[in-house]
Amino acid sequence: MEYNFRKIEADWQKYWADNETFKASNQSEKPKYYVLDMFPYPSGAGLHVGHPLGYIASDIYARYKRHKGFNVLHPQGYDSFGLPAEQYAIQTGQHPATTTEANIKTYRRQLDNIGFSFDWSREIRTSNADYYKWTQWIFIQLFNAWYNLDSDKSEDISTLITLFEADGNATVKAACDDEIDAFTATDWNAFSEDKKQAVLLQYRLTFLSETEVNWCPGLGTVLANDEMVNGVSERGGHTVVRKKMKQWSMRISAYAQRLLDGLNTIDWPQPLKDSQTNWIGRSQGAMVSFQIEKFEEKIDVFTTRPDTIYGVSFMTLAPEHELVQKIVTDEHRATVEEYIKATSKRSELDRMADVKTISGAFTGAYALHPFTGEKIQIWIGDYVLASYGTGAVMAVPCGDQRDYAFAKHFNIAIPNIFADTDISETCFEGKEGVKLANSDFLNGLPYKKAMKTIIYELEKRSIGYGKINYRLRDAVFSRQRYWGEPFPVYYKNGLPQMIAKEFLPIALPEVEKYLPTEDGKPPLGNAEVWAWDTEKNEIVNTDLVNDTTVFPLELNTMPGWAGSSWYFNRYMDASNTGDFVSKEAVDYWQDIDLYIGGSEHATGHLLYARFWQKFLFDLGHLPKEEFAKKLINQGMILGTSAFVYRLEGTNKFVSKGLIGDQKVQAIHADVALVNTSDELDVEGFKNHPLNRDYKDAEFILEGDKYVVGREVEKMSKSKYNVVNPDQICEEYGADSLRLFEMFLGPLEQAKPWKTSGISGVHSFLKKLWKLYLVDEKFSVNEEAPTKDELKTLHKTLKKVEEDIENFSFNTSVSTFMIAVNELTAAKCNKRAILEPLALLVSPYAPHIAEELWKNLGHTGSISTVDFPVFEPKHLIESSKVYPISFNGKMRFTLELPLDMSKEEIEKTVMAHEKTIAQLAGRTPKKIIIVPGKIVNLVG
RNA sequence: GCCUUGGUGGCGGAAUUGGUAGACGCGCUGGAUUCAAAAUCCAGUUCCGGUUUCGGAGUGUGGGUUCGAUUCCCACCCAAGGUACCA
């Protein structure tokens, strides 16, 4: 009876599907456990072996938890809105829904081949109207809410209206747009309905605002900063211009502090927390106003060091600062203009490459020091960014490296305000251990006291106030694209109106072209049926728009992160048509216990999802403020590319070992054409559909082989180094693939894929299978196990449980191999050992485990059978003593059974005194007992 | 520059609380089986020297703590990822 993995795997995958083995129930006596993968974007290329790494890890954990008696929720779905499907549609005219559907089919087949224990009855797709109906509903909730800084949470907009009606906006403390005019209750009540709506819009958690964006006419869309390289678009290299657009924004900044605080309550990797912390960028300091001499205007600056205000000797504005043009004197205008021009030309790359060059220009204008009244030069410099703080800094050269360098370069005075500090060579950037000097009422004060005093003075004199500044910006939520969620919004008198819940979803309309319209409207501008009839409450033809009952619908769509910011809650109750998730379901499942995915989502998805979760929590829709208790970042699997070497200027390919000093050009060869000994299938290479030019190429062989070169790179189609999991499953089986992906190395680390290594885990499975056979027939005996056999079993059990709990799946595979080798050597064929062994292997290699379980005479699936219980007494039979060092003194290590009591340990140690006395030649003086298993005996 | 993670054989990687470094796998070498091959099994495999018992070096580099350091401390070098002049 051979290990026929193809049949075994096909049979059990069918069994699991037919019996809905992994369907989770929303009620159970068992404790709950929710394991989730970041759901994939179904791309046209299908899965490569890098994708399933995290899924295999989470599947092992999910299966382990089922064996441990948990009611496990382990769902999967698709983040199916996105740009690639739209780009493909633009090129081919195929509807994105069609290609997305086809891609999902491929994904599903590939995922099924690997034997995941997903509960597919809960599958979700963000592009399904049943799903995005609730994305739209959440948007409406955000629109109908404001952030109350007094209660420090989001509240329904009606509470704000009540406040306005009673007191106007004087007493309201809200997270909102910066410049809102004050109004009284009387004013408010006298406002027209439109005026009221316009005011409220400035307070809502999602709001319309004029935002300057990177507009790319070539792609007809707005680009994120990281979609641009050197001022042109990353894809296509089209030019990009700055353009103001009216767009939806999300007031994530209202949650800045709570997003920071929440990090302390969740078990996420420190690097990921650090990058969120940096992204939010909290800094504590003060706003200070500087009066400009001979002008009405003041310059506001944010500073983290208001205590150093007496060290200010100049100010620097960003070249783009709005006051620059106004205050520059005629004498300096030419130089300033020239500098601004030069700055705008400098690419990001230039600015990055040369941090050391100091540049700037004097405006000729002066500000007045708020305390001394002294005249201070106002400069512009490109080290000050318009986008951070107020776009202006008060320069304290004695206390800031950049200000110091600037002052030295332009010969500006560097007054020293730190007592007993030498600043002739460099500035003093520290806070502690120095007292202020030359600072009037701050003289002699240390940092903390000075900060308090200066903020008190600033506020008393109304020239500034203490402030906490965040780098985090509000998130732009509009996209000029087709393949995304439509907004549930129509416009009446230019003001946005929400569509009521009962008329959702607002389904994506059909369009002829997926490109923006000729006059620059988003793709939805092409739709003929895209207006809202407020009487019929349905979508009607745009021709019917009038100013009383039919209004135009929003043309933008939501960004990719909308659907992924709440999907984990939907899995709890995926088919609910009346609510985004029912109260019962979310009260039962609560939150994700384990979330696995890549670290590239650190400041995107993982920040937005936390924001929405907190918002829905504030409104009482969710019981938890953080959506995932524990998170693990799996590392990337890299490809091992193969190279062939063409002699320069010829069509001759030379084998790697024969290159020598010859000039060659390295060309990627498809890794599928290379065997495990790095030999190229030359005929295959010549006939490869993508290598037409090399059909008649000549190959110079080493012996009779052509040997390729190898290099580790990111797995990608263009590098011909993609390994398809289907091939591996076909050749070695899904269980081999699962074991091997884990065996490659630590889950969180990036590691290269090398197909050659898979034979090791595959032969382990064959050996495991053979353990259960006698004379080619399935047979186990009922004899009692020996001590050694029990030791093997319990050693394996202990290690495997520890490994799974610590997510070091790679070492468990080794442990299994050792166990199988030991049991093979002992010719162990006993049920008492082999039955628990099958259980242990089950999370890792579920198909073979199921088959063994069946052959052991059990019915049903192994998947919820309890794990065997670890008994420490089987591990170490007797104590063993050995000397560990000799250096004047002699020490010994004594290995003891794990379950020994203190008294027993002492007894054993005494018993070993004799042995030690013999080894050392004298009796030990002192005995150090370390709790655990090692005892040091000082001789 | 800053933050984070890491650096161990030909390769991927083990090593608990500081206690026999190199588990396990790949590769390689030799052997068994076979007409032969595949498959399987056995033995060896950190490096350098004697090569049967052995000696020396050795976990990026240089120091330190310790009877004892891959592990702890300090400084440095290198690599990967993140971030971008944050006032």
Side-chain angles (χ1 to χ4, degrees):
Chain A
M1 218 165 103
E2 270 198 16
Y3 167 46
N4 185 353
F5 57 85
R6 286 191 192 89
K7 182 167 182 336
I8 292 172
E9 292 178 358
D11 285 356
W12 282 101
Q13 282 164 13
K14 184 168 185 307
Y15 176 95
W16 295 332
D18 290 350
N19 292 279
E20 296 192 300
T21 308
F22 305 112
K23 189 167 176 172
S25 165
N26 281 5
Q27 303 171 337
S28 172
E29 296 289 294
K30 299 173 179 178
K32 72 100 188 182
Y33 202 89
Y34 184 3
V35 188
L36 187 67
D37 298 294
M38 289 183 190
F39 62 168
Y41 172 78
S43 84
L47 291 173
H48 63 62
V49 291
H51 295 116
L53 179 73
Y55 305 159
I56 294 172
S58 68
D59 195 59
I60 290 170
Y61 205 79
R63 286 175 180 271
Y64 169 74
K65 281 287 178 184
R66 288 194 197 94
H67 287 299
K68 282 289 194 178
F70 287 82
N71 182 31
V72 173
L73 176 57
H74 187 40
Q76 186 60 287
Y78 306 95
D79 190 11
S80 44
F81 272 134
L83 199 56
E86 180 160 326
Q87 286 293 104
Y88 193 75
I90 291 168
Q91 283 156 20
T92 66
Q94 279 202 65
H95 198 289
T98 316
T99 49
T100 301
E101 176 72 35
N103 293 346
I104 287 178
K105 271 206 176 117
T106 310
Y107 267 61
R108 178 63 191 273
R109 183 181 52 71
Q110 290 187 296
L111 290 172
D112 282 348
N113 276 342
I114 305 173
F116 292 118
S117 63
F118 293 129
D119 176 357
W120 284 108
S121 72
R122 294 169 187 258
E123 181 197 299
I124 57 172
R125 302 177 184 186
T126 53
S127 60
N128 268 10
D130 293 348
Y131 179 85
Y132 67 67
K133 168 181 177 176
W134 299 106
T135 312
Q136 293 173 340
W137 177 80
I138 293 170
F139 176 82
I140 297 170
Q141 306 311 301
L142 285 154
F143 182 80
N144 286 329
W146 66 293
Y147 198 91
N148 186 345
L149 292 172
D150 277 330
S151 60
D152 202 19
K153 61 175 196 169
S154 294
E155 292 177 12
D156 194 275
I157 199 80
S158 60
T159 63
L160 184 65
I161 297 172
T162 313
L163 290 170
F164 284 169
E165 284 167 352
D167 276 323
N169 69 350
T171 56
V172 170
K173 277 171 83 187
C176 60
D177 291 354
D178 280 339
E179 286 140 20
I180 296 181
D181 297 334
F183 54 82
T184 64
T186 326
D187 293 339
W188 172 261
N189 293 321
F191 286 163
S192 70
E193 191 51 36
D194 282 356
K195 170 76 181 170
K196 281 183 180 170
Q197 287 308 319
V199 169
L200 287 174
L201 195 53
Q202 295 176 290
Y203 287 84
R204 298 179 189 274
L205 281 175
T206 185
F207 56 100
L208 280 167
S209 67
E210 285 276 339
T211 329
E212 198 166 87
V213 294
N214 304 312
W215 174 253
C216 177
L219 295 173
T221 188
V222 171
L223 299 179
N225 281 332
D226 53 75
E227 287 177 297
M228 285 169 28
V229 184
N230 291 334
V232 296
S233 69
E234 191 183 19
R235 48 168 56 227
H238 305 283
T239 51
V240 177
V241 295
R242 301 290 289 175
K243 182 178 167 184
K244 285 225 169 189
M245 283 183 90
K246 197 153 222 185
Q247 307 215 73
W248 287 101
S249 282
M250 286 281 165
R251 212 180 293 283
I252 188 172
S253 58
Y255 281 88
Q257 189 58 48
R258 284 171 63 192
L259 287 168
L260 276 179
D261 295 342
L263 290 174
N264 297 324
T265 67
I266 47 182
D267 180 11
W268 288 18
Q270 196 55 43
L272 196 153
K273 287 188 184 181
D274 290 346
S275 71
Q276 290 208 349
T277 306
N278 289 337
W279 194 262
I280 296 167
R282 179 191 206 263
S283 44
Q284 195 161 5
M287 291 292 290
V288 186
S289 287
F290 285 73
Q291 182 64 51
I292 307 172
E293 192 193 36
K294 298 176 195 152
F295 284 92
E296 287 279 297
E297 281 85 356
K298 291 175 176 172
I299 298 174
D300 292 330
V301 300
F302 174 75
T303 173
T304 53
R305 296 295 302 275
D307 59 311
T308 62
I309 193 151
Y310 283 91
V312 174
S313 64
F314 62 101
M315 300 190 77
T316 315
L317 306 185
E320 304 92 333
H321 197 282
E322 52 184 12
L323 286 174
V324 173
Q325 298 297 340
K326 184 158 190 181
I327 62 172
V328 65
T329 59
D330 292 340
E331 189 192 341
H332 292 92
R333 189 170 292 275
T335 344
V336 165
E337 290 287 343
E338 200 178 312
Y339 183 71
I340 293 173
K341 215 172 156 191
T343 311
S344 67
K345 269 190 195 158
R346 284 184 87 187
S347 74
E348 297 237 326
L349 211 73
D350 285 347
R351 283 177 152 210
M352 281 197 293
D354 113 271
V355 202
K356 300 237 160 82
T357 309
I358 295 148
S359 69
F362 180 42
T363 61
Y366 291 86
L368 301 172
H369 192 285
F371 289 95
T372 65
E374 262 173 67
K375 279 171 72 173
I376 304 166
Q377 298 181 345
I378 302 174
W379 287 68
I380 60 172
D382 66 1
Y383 77 97
V384 178
L385 302 178
S387 61
Y388 182 77
T390 62
V393 299
M394 59 174 226
V396 183
C398 67
D400 180 280
Q401 187 50 53
R402 287 180 319 248
D403 296 345
Y404 186 87
F406 197 92
K408 277 258 153 147
H409 189 261
F410 290 109
N411 253 323
I412 306 170
I414 306 180
N416 191 1
I417 51 152
F418 299 112
D420 310 321
T421 311
D422 176 25
I423 55 153
S424 56
E425 291 301 320
T426 181
C427 65
F428 178 81
E429 285 195 306
K431 288 177 180 169
E432 309 300 335
V434 70
K435 286 178 178 163
L436 291 170
N438 304 323
S439 295
D440 195 10
F441 58 91
L442 297 173
N443 281 342
L445 295 179
Y447 168 72
K448 276 186 185 158
K449 274 198 177 157
M451 283 288 282
K452 271 189 193 157
T453 312
I454 186 71
I455 289 172
Y456 174 80
E457 280 296 323
L458 285 168
E459 290 176 357
K460 196 174 93 182
R461 303 184 191 195
S462 299
I463 45 178
Y465 53 93
K467 191 185 176 185
I468 293 164
N469 201 45
Y470 297 94
R471 201 175 77 125
L472 184 69
R473 322 251 102 174
D474 286 332
V476 178
F477 198 68
S478 298
R479 295 291 183 269
Q480 294 66 46
R481 288 180 190 160
Y482 174 73
W483 193 231
E485 297 88 347
F487 284 84
V489 171
Y490 64 91
Y491 288 89
K492 187 175 166 184
N493 301 338
L495 286 170
Q497 311 291 327
M498 296 295 125
I499 290 167
K501 179 183 173 185
E502 57 264 42
F503 308 119
L504 299 181
I506 299 303
L508 199 56
E510 293 302 320
V511 293
E512 264 178 49
K513 286 196 315 188
Y514 304 101
L515 282 168
T517 64
E518 309 255 308
D519 52 344
K521 282 187 196 153
L524 293 193
N526 291 316
E528 281 174 24
V529 186
W530 197 239
W532 186 250
D533 187 319
T534 52
E535 286 188 336
K536 293 189 200 152
N537 282 311
E538 60 180 37
I539 303 172
V540 296
N541 202 296
T542 46
D543 295 343
L544 302 174
V545 169
N546 61 46
D547 50 12
T548 52
T549 57
V550 180
F551 302 96
L553 282 155
E554 167 74 58
L555 297 180
N556 286 295
T557 54
M558 299 188 197
W561 54 269
S564 60
S565 294
W566 71 281
Y567 76 110
F568 35 85
N569 288 313
R570 184 66 180 169
Y571 282 130
M572 298 174 184
D573 195 14
S575 49
N576 192 327
T577 51
D579 213 340
F580 80 113
V581 57
S582 72
K583 183 108 181 65
E584 304 83 71
V586 77
D587 279 346
Y588 178 71
W589 292 109
Q590 298 272 317
D591 56 0
I592 303 171
D593 294 283
L594 175 65
Y595 195 29
I596 295 186
S599 57
E600 66 272 21
H601 299 293
T603 52
H605 160 60
L606 290 172
L607 201 59
Y608 298 130
R610 291 183 59 221
F611 160 43
W612 279 27
Q613 180 81 10
K614 283 178 190 299
F615 167 72
L616 291 167
F617 169 82
D618 282 354
L619 264 58
H621 295 299
L622 295 174
K624 288 281 176 110
E625 193 171 343
E626 291 289 343
F627 74 93
K629 284 197 195 85
K630 182 173 176 66
L631 184 136
I632 291 181
N633 290 131
Q634 92 275 20
M636 207 192 317
I637 291 192
L638 304 164
T640 310
S641 303
F643 289 93
V644 292
Y645 302 94
R646 182 165 68 168
L647 287 171
E648 224 160 66
T650 70
N651 207 12
K652 281 183 190 170
F653 289 84
V654 59
S655 186
K656 191 193 172 199
L658 302 173
I659 298 171
D661 297 335
Q662 304 174 87
K663 285 204 167 172
V664 293
Q665 183 191 3
I667 296 167
H668 278 104
D670 192 332
V671 287
L673 298 171
V674 181
N675 72 8
T676 51
S677 316
D678 292 353
E679 293 161 22
L680 179 74
D681 169 4
V682 172
E683 285 310 306
F685 181 77
K686 284 184 185 173
N687 296 322
H688 197 282
L690 294 158
N691 294 341
R692 297 231 178 276
D693 297 350
Y694 312 137
K695 216 172 165 69
D696 303 314
E698 192 184 323
F699 285 80
I700 302 164
L701 309 178
E702 274 176 82
D704 52 350
K705 296 160 188 165
Y706 186 96
V707 181
V708 298
R710 294 288 201 173
E711 213 169 286
V712 172
E713 299 177 288
K714 195 173 166 179
M715 220 177 245
S716 133
K717 228 176 165 179
S718 63
K719 297 188 169 80
Y720 299 114
N721 61 0
V722 172
V723 181
N724 189 315
D726 299 347
Q727 281 168 23
I728 304 291
C729 286
E730 175 57 27
E731 205 172 332
Y732 299 96
D735 285 341
S736 292
L737 174 73
R738 293 169 61 105
L739 282 168
F740 186 54
E741 292 228 354
M742 291 301 105
F743 186 66
L744 274 174
L747 180 60
E748 292 170 85
Q749 211 168 285
K751 49 215 167 264
W753 174 274
K754 271 180 123 181
T755 305
S756 59
I758 203 166
S759 64
V761 292
H762 187 64
S763 65
F764 154 72
L765 288 172
K766 285 196 276 193
K767 285 186 215 170
L768 176 74
W769 181 255
K770 270 196 192 156
L771 273 181
Y772 296 74
L773 303 183
V774 177
D775 296 332
E776 295 294 303
K777 281 203 177 122
F778 207 95
S779 157
V780 291
N781 67 49
E782 308 295 331
E783 284 169 37
T786 66
K787 285 181 177 181
D788 275 345
E789 289 162 354
L790 279 170
K791 185 176 171 181
T792 298
L793 175 67
H794 284 269
K795 190 170 71 179
T796 310
L797 176 53
K798 178 168 190 282
K799 185 82 170 89
V800 168
E801 282 201 9
E802 271 174 14
D803 284 346
I804 296 182
E805 296 286 359
N806 297 324
F807 305 98
S808 24
F809 303 111
N810 53 329
T811 49
S812 309
V813 185
S814 304
T815 310
F816 288 137
M817 288 174 175
I818 296 168
V820 165
N821 287 340
E822 285 178 4
L823 294 174
T824 305
K827 297 201 167 65
C828 173
N829 183 241
K830 296 165 185 166
R831 175 185 292 273
I833 300 296
L834 296 184
E835 202 166 270
L837 185 67
L839 265 164
L840 276 183
V841 170
S842 161
Y844 289 83
H847 309 86
I848 194 172
E850 290 275 22
E851 187 70 12
L852 293 172
W853 195 248
K854 186 178 90 181
N855 288 336
L856 284 163
H858 299 283
T859 53
S861 166
I862 194 174
S863 64
T864 53
V865 177
D866 282 352
F867 247 34
V869 176
F870 169 59
E871 292 177 55
K873 69 178 175 193
H874 294 305
L875 277 203
I876 299 175
E877 282 294 307
S878 57
S879 43
K880 191 175 93 185
V881 70
Y882 55 89
I884 52 169
S885 84
F886 185 72
N887 189 355
K889 296 167 188 170
M890 188 183 263
R891 277 146 203 264
F892 302 88
T893 289
L894 184 58
E895 269 187 13
L896 300 170
L898 283 171
D899 57 340
M900 261 192 168
S901 67
K902 241 188 189 157
E903 297 80 58
E904 282 178 301
I905 291 174
E906 273 172 37
K907 249 165 85 184
T908 318
V909 171
M910 292 308 154
H912 277 283
E913 273 195 56
K914 227 185 195 176
T915 329
I916 290 156
Q918 276 171 9
L919 279 168
R922 59 196 161 99
T923 41
K925 281 180 191 153
K926 197 169 120 195
I927 297 172
I928 309 159
I929 299 174
V930 183
K933 53 199 145 160
I934 288 161
V935 180
N936 284 341
L937 303 164
V938 184

